[in-house]
Amino acid sequence: MKIAFLADPLSTFKIYKDSTFAMMREAAKRGHAVYAFEQRDMVLEEGVVSAVVTRIHLTGETDAWYRADRPESVRLSFFDAVIERKDPPFDMEYVYGTYLLELAERQGARVFNRPGAIRDHNEKLTIGQFSQYTSPTLVTSSAARLRAFHEKHGDVIFKPLDGMGGAGIFRVKDDGMNLGSVIESLTANGRHTIMAQKYIPAIKQGDKRVLVIDGKPVPFTLARIPQGNEVRGNLAAGGLGVAQPITAREREIAEAIGPELAARGLLLVGLDVIGDFLTEVNVTSPTCFQEITDQTGFDVAAMFIDAVELKATEKH
């Protein structure tokens, strides 16, 4: 198979923990041809979506980890699979990229996750479709409603709808200290819609990343445990990643919503679960492959490439 990865610059990869690298390594191990390109490399010309892509060969070394062939311009439908792995921010450039990929799909390209499905599933707001699994949640730009929510629940997490890596997350406890400032800052004085959630004390045991591949949960999760006085468990915010067997509750949530999300074109999903509650549904470039594999021996990348091989050979 010929597999192209739409990703951030290869020079930015930290290969000891990068999930996209783990996917590439597994694909190459199976004899698949691996290509890479960036979002800016895509072109729509005369109705055809193409990209300037580079075939890469993994060297097995730590620093010079790949060798690149000469870049070439090809239609995206040339590939058996295109893996969308560009990290947020989910800005308008990202949205334009999904439009181009969607056009490429109409020309025969197989894209995972499907670009329209990525665009339709905001990683914060999607939990609203599965509210039976969430803690009390409010989405609004109204300061009055946000204040009332805090008054009702006492200990509340406030966060933007377009954040990543724990950026912009605030906890306001029962005393309400800095409540007004947090609301004003995050909503830009009522111009931006944000999310408020009742604080879940189980965050002390970790914000669990539950990976779901083609509707099936990976049997191990990564608990991202906040360190020191930090309220955020995100690895980017200094959280400690500890792999653990999936719990009965986490499996229940994953098996309930995973198949539905897979049917919508989301081959790989990262559910965030704190305690008994679903807090986010990550669809852009879910990670934690290598941390789980390194600590448990379960090969997450192999499970993912198995799914890509199966889906890429299915009839449209």
Side-chain angles (χ1 to χ4, degrees), residues 17-39:
K17 68 174 185 177
D18 194 287
S19 295
T20 306
F21 170 75
M23 296 173 183
M24 291 176 168
R25 182 175 56 193
E26 180 63 24
K29 186 171 74 173
R30 300 184 185 200
H32 300 314
V34 175
Y35 296 77
F37 67 103
E38 298 176 39
Q39 184 166 284

Side-chain angles (χ1 to χ4, degrees), residues 127 131 133-138 196-200 277-279:
I127 66 170
S131 58
Y133 300 113
T134 67
S135 67
T137 299
L138 173 71
Q197 292 178 309
K198 182 179 179 181
Y199 175 74
I200 306 168
F277 301 105
L278 175 69
T279 60

Side-chain angles (χ1 to χ4, degrees), residues 164-180:
M164 61 171 290
I169 293 178
F170 293 89
R171 177 186 179 187
V172 180
K173 298 182 181 180
D174 295 19
D175 59 14
M177 185 171 292
N178 292 323
L179 174 62

Side-chain angles (χ1 to χ4, degrees), residues 42-100:
M42 286 192 292
V43 175
L44 170 64
E45 187 172 16
E46 296 182 356
V48 175
V49 179
S50 62
V52 177
V53 304
T54 303
R55 182 171 180 179
I56 62 172
H57 307 269
L58 276 58
T59 64
E61 299 178 11
T62 301
D63 295 324
W65 61 270
Y66 71 94
R67 177 171 49 82
D69 289 353
R70 184 184 299 275
E72 56 183 325
S73 179
V74 297
R75 297 172 62 129
L76 290 186
S77 57
F78 166 78
F79 299 103
D80 298 289
V82 176
I83 313 298
E84 163 66 288
R85 292 292 298 174
K86 187 191 181 310
D87 283 338
F90 195 86
D91 53 15
M92 283 309 299
E93 279 300 309
Y94 201 117
V95 172
Y96 297 148
T98 66
Y99 289 138
L100 290 175

Side-chain angles (χ1 to χ4, degrees), residues 209 211 218-223 241-246 288-301 303:
R209 168 56 55 84
L211 292 169
V218 170
F220 295 91
T221 67
L222 193 75
V242 179
Q244 301 174 354
I246 192 170
C288 300
F289 278 40
Q290 293 206 63
E291 292 89 345
I292 291 173
T293 299
D294 290 345
Q295 294 182 41
T296 70
F298 182 86
D299 197 333
V300 182
M303 181 177 173

Side-chain angles (χ1 to χ4, degrees), residues 188-257:
N189 292 309
R191 295 192 299 276
H192 296 161
T193 301
I194 68 169
M195 175 175 283
Q197 292 178 309
K198 182 179 179 181
Y199 175 74
I200 306 168
I203 183 61
K204 295 174 183 176
Q205 285 76 54
D207 179 354
K208 303 282 197 70
R209 168 56 55 84
V210 182
L211 292 169
V212 183
I213 297 173
D214 197 17
K216 304 175 185 66
V218 170
F220 295 91
T221 67
L222 193 75
R224 297 159 301 171
I225 303 171
Q227 300 297 291
N229 294 321
E230 180 60 70
V231 71
R232 301 169 297 174
N234 308 73
L235 300 183
L240 175 66
V242 179
Q244 301 174 354
I246 192 170
T247 67
R249 175 60 169 175
E250 291 156 3
R251 184 177 292 277
E252 175 191 357
I253 294 172
E255 291 182 344
I257 71 178

